[in-house]
Amino acid sequence: MGGTDRKNGFIILPLLLFLMACSGTVLCYGRSVYQEAEAVREFLCRKQLETIAQSFMLISLQQEKETAISDAVYNLPLLQPGNNEVRIVVSVNRVKDLGLRFLKVEVADSNSNEFSLRQCVMFFPAPLIQLLENPVTDLSGSAGKEETGEKKNTITSKSGGAVFPQFSIGEIAEWASTGFPSPLEMQRDGLSGWIYLSRKEISLPKGLKVNGDGILCFGEDVTIGDNSVFTGRIIILADCNLHIGNQVRLEKSLLLCRGKVTIGTDSFINGAVMAKQGVVTGENVTIIGDKEVLEPFNSIISY
């Protein structure tokens, strides 16, 4: 009998080990299935929030064609899967003197998932368009010539007592992305129709070639290096001084600078320039007025 018991014990022990291994496998499989189901649910929730944000963005832009849009908050019925409440916040901010409007749509559910979209438009007001009828508008009241190592011309134009448009890069930064692309990214990817903002003093390298449209905002002094070319439509908003190097080509550009604009020798600008503290040019600078730079600027819809 004792031998039989020992034999049965040897049989039962492997069986128990086998069953334990099987149960562990089942638990692991069950956990894997649960995690996969959770991942699918999270993905579906995310896609639902994206779809809702896109819909409200397009509705707001369509509504704007008929009437001014304003801040609004909406609550939607529970979303499935997840049984989550959804809240939509539409925020609008304006820089009146520039005709600049920022629109942001934020969608969040009760499970802390969120998604947002942004868009902006610059629809220049009539007083600003009138100011920019001349290719160059210098509101400094300066005259004559300035010596800075080489002879340069200080441009003056009749401003009729006009006031420079009120804006600050700080208020724009609250709504726009504060990331500014590197020179390599600008040359490789171009501008994609959004606002690019730098709070710090920045110097773009020589020989930069940038395609695409965009609004470039600078909170401190900015330098565009010699032999640089911007082929698309750009709007430069500068809080301080703007220095454009030699042999630079800005092929469709509007420059609004609260400081002084300095333009290097043999440079070419097609568009319009407005400076609060003076415009100084080197030799053989060409500035050609182009009213197309005053057309409304609609950005892409950005994350």
Side-chain angles (χ1 to χ4, degrees):
M1 291 292 293
T4 302
D5 290 341
R6 284 195 297 272
K7 186 175 181 180
N8 290 338
F10 284 124
I11 294 173
I12 292 172
L13 182 59
L15 181 60
L16 288 174
L17 293 174
F18 174 75
L19 292 174
M20 290 175 64
C22 288
S23 64
T25 302
V26 170
L27 287 173
C28 289
Y29 178 74
R31 188 181 301 112
S32 175
V33 170
Y34 173 78
Q35 291 173 342
E36 185 174 336
E38 281 296 296
V40 170
R41 189 182 68 81
E42 288 292 326
F43 174 79
L44 290 175
C45 288
R46 176 78 175 178
K47 295 303 292 183
Q48 286 177 324
L49 297 185
E50 289 183 21
T51 301
I52 293 169
Q54 290 167 356
S55 297
F56 272 81
M57 174 63 75
L58 295 176
I59 290 171
S60 297
L61 294 177
Q62 186 64 32
Q63 177 187 341
E64 191 175 36
K65 294 179 180 179
E66 300 178 1
T67 183
I69 54 177
S70 57
D71 294 350
V73 177
Y74 305 93
N75 293 298
L76 294 186
L78 299 180
L79 285 186
Q80 301 298 333
N83 209 33
N84 294 326
E85 297 177 353
V86 176
R87 181 181 177 88
I88 301 105
V89 178
V90 178
S91 305
V92 180
N93 191 46
R94 303 179 191 277
V95 181
K96 184 178 179 181
D97 280 13
L98 295 178
L100 185 59
R101 186 273 295 141
F102 292 99
L103 171 63
K104 186 175 184 179
V105 176
E106 299 172 279
V107 183
D109 65 19
S110 53
N111 201 33
S112 300
N113 296 306
E114 57 185 30
F115 185 80
S116 64
L117 290 173
R118 298 171 298 164
Q119 195 269 347
C120 77
V121 63
M122 186 177 280
F123 197 101
F124 301 105
L128 183 58
I129 292 177
Q130 291 173 2
L131 274 178
L132 293 168
E133 286 181 349
N134 296 318
V136 179
T137 303
D138 177 0
L139 301 181
S140 67
S142 60
K145 294 182 178 180
E146 178 175 307
E147 299 293 334
T148 56
E150 59 178 304
K151 185 177 290 185
K152 296 193 175 185
N153 299 320
T154 299
I155 297 176
T156 60
S157 62
K158 295 180 180 179
S159 61
V163 177
F164 192 82
Q166 295 297 307
F167 69 87
S168 74
I169 300 305
E171 64 179 322
I172 295 174
E174 295 179 7
W175 289 78
S177 170
T178 54
F180 197 85
S182 68
L184 176 61
E185 291 170 330
M186 292 178 72
Q187 183 147 304
R188 182 190 64 204
D189 305 329
L191 304 177
S192 61
W194 184 239
I195 298 180
Y196 306 88
L197 187 144
S198 173
R199 289 180 178 271
K200 303 182 296 183
E201 182 175 347
I202 188 170
S203 181
L204 300 178
K206 298 179 180 179
L208 193 64
K209 182 175 181 180
V210 181
N211 299 316
D213 304 338
I215 301 175
L216 307 180
C217 302
F218 301 101
E220 297 292 339
D221 290 354
V222 55
T223 298
I224 298 176
D226 297 347
N227 301 300
S228 294
V229 179
F230 285 77
T231 63
R233 181 185 176 188
I234 63 169
I235 298 170
I236 293 181
L237 304 176
D239 256 354
C240 298
N241 299 316
L242 170 61
H243 176 74
I244 298 171
N246 301 322
Q247 298 179 330
V248 171
R249 290 186 64 87
L250 305 180
E251 297 186 354
K252 194 171 288 291
S253 301
L254 171 62
L255 314 181
L256 297 176
C257 178
R258 295 176 64 188
K260 178 185 288 187
V261 175
T262 305
I263 305 171
T265 300
D266 295 323
S267 288
F268 170 84
I269 297 175
N270 180 68
V273 179
M274 176 184 284
K276 189 175 183 179
Q277 297 181 18
V279 180
V280 179
T281 69
E283 299 297 324
N284 301 319
V285 169
T286 302
I287 303 175
I288 299 176
D290 185 347
K291 291 187 177 181
E292 286 189 14
V293 301
L294 303 178
E295 293 293 322
F297 182 97
N298 282 282
S299 81
I300 61 168
I301 296 174
S302 174
Y303 296 106

